Amino acid sequence: MIQTEALPVSSITPLPEDPAPRLPPVNPADFTDETRAFFGRWTGGIFSNADKNPVLMTFAHHPKLADVFSQFNIHLLSTSTLPVKERQIAIMRTVWICGGTYAWSSHLNTSKSCGLSSDMYHPIQVGADDPYFTEFERTVVRATDELVHNHEVSPQSWEALSREWNSQQLLDFLFTVGAYILTAGVMRSTGVQRDENLRTLAAEFGAP
């Protein structure tokens, strides 16, 4: 969802600049005490250079909301009970279906920083029928599709997930997919722009 530290990428011609945002990032000259307190709390850690992050700088138009959402986002990306690969499959499948160009591009970066292979990016775009996935990973993809399209995991997928995951993991999965449906819509609607690093990753691996 939110871009972490930039990673080196191969020398690929970046995509053109994204369209101008509908809701531009907050101008630092317009920071209030509340805005400064928000960035003072979150700069560093998982949010590297928060006051230069286009997502946080957009959310900072509403510091109280941004603060609450950031706490939730940090849980999803750092203290969630989901295994990292299964979490990233769920997130990336969600934003791919939802057309979340920024979130997808950002999670190319996040997945690389987690040590995951880029071999999974195309299969996530294809869906559960891609032979790359294990049987349980296919279940994760199907359940993600069901949540996005039907707002409910089917009984068959729920049973399959429950054989592998405990109650906390099931809830983390549901809230992760739900959060990224929301985030994709917010980022598309506000027009958050990608930096050169994210556009380069998208040029290499695709983006919705």
Side-chain angles (χ1 to χ4, degrees):
M1 178 182 311
I2 293 177
Q3 178 192 352
T4 53
E5 275 192 54
L7 298 175
V9 293
S10 58
S11 55
I12 294 173
T13 302
L15 299 175
E17 293 284 338
D18 291 339
R22 293 174 173 175
L23 183 63
V26 174
N27 188 324
D30 297 328
F31 278 13
T32 64
D33 289 344
E34 193 174 31
T35 313
R36 283 187 284 272
F38 165 68
F39 284 114
R41 179 173 181 181
W42 295 114
T43 296
I46 194 170
F47 296 153
S48 177
N49 299 318
D51 59 354
K52 297 178 178 60
N53 185 296
V55 178
L56 293 180
M57 289 290 282
T58 301
F59 291 0
H61 284 283
H62 193 336
K64 288 183 179 178
L65 175 62
D67 186 67
V68 172
F69 186 77
S70 294
Q71 294 178 60
F72 182 36
N73 189 205
I74 283 178
H75 168 71
L76 297 180
L77 295 179
S78 62
T79 59
S80 168
T81 59
L82 293 178
V84 171
K85 185 178 181 184
E86 292 159 11
R87 179 198 76 198
Q88 288 303 113
I89 288 173
I91 290 172
M92 296 184 74
R93 180 62 179 171
T94 299
V95 297
W96 181 265
I97 298 171
C98 293
T101 300
Y102 185 98
W104 168 270
S105 303
S106 178
H107 276 274
L108 292 172
N109 200 38
T110 300
S111 294
K112 289 170 77 70
S113 73
C114 292
L116 299 177
S117 170
S118 60
D119 291 347
M120 73 179 193
Y121 301 153
H122 180 69
I124 289 172
Q125 298 171 32
V126 173
D129 293 335
D130 193 284
Y132 166 85
F133 295 116
T134 67
E135 188 58 39
F136 184 68
E137 289 168 354
R138 278 192 281 276
T139 297
V140 173
V141 175
R142 288 192 190 101
T144 299
D145 289 4
E146 291 163 358
L147 269 177
V148 173
H149 294 301
N150 304 325
H151 312 298
E152 181 182 10
V153 175
S154 70
Q156 296 82 3
S157 295
W158 185 265
E159 181 181 354
L161 292 174
S162 298
R163 287 196 294 268
E164 297 286 336
W165 286 345
N166 61 30
S167 297
Q168 289 186 341
Q169 289 171 313
L170 289 166
L171 286 169
D172 271 329
F173 170 72
L174 296 174
F175 275 94
T176 297
V177 173
Y180 278 87
I181 294 171
L182 168 65
T183 300
V186 172
M187 291 183 182
R188 288 184 62 178
S189 297
T190 58
V192 177
Q193 293 181 303
R194 296 170 294 175
D195 63 18
E196 183 178 354
N197 178 62
L198 296 190
R199 291 194 303 276
T200 301
L201 284 170
E204 182 176 3
F205 297 111

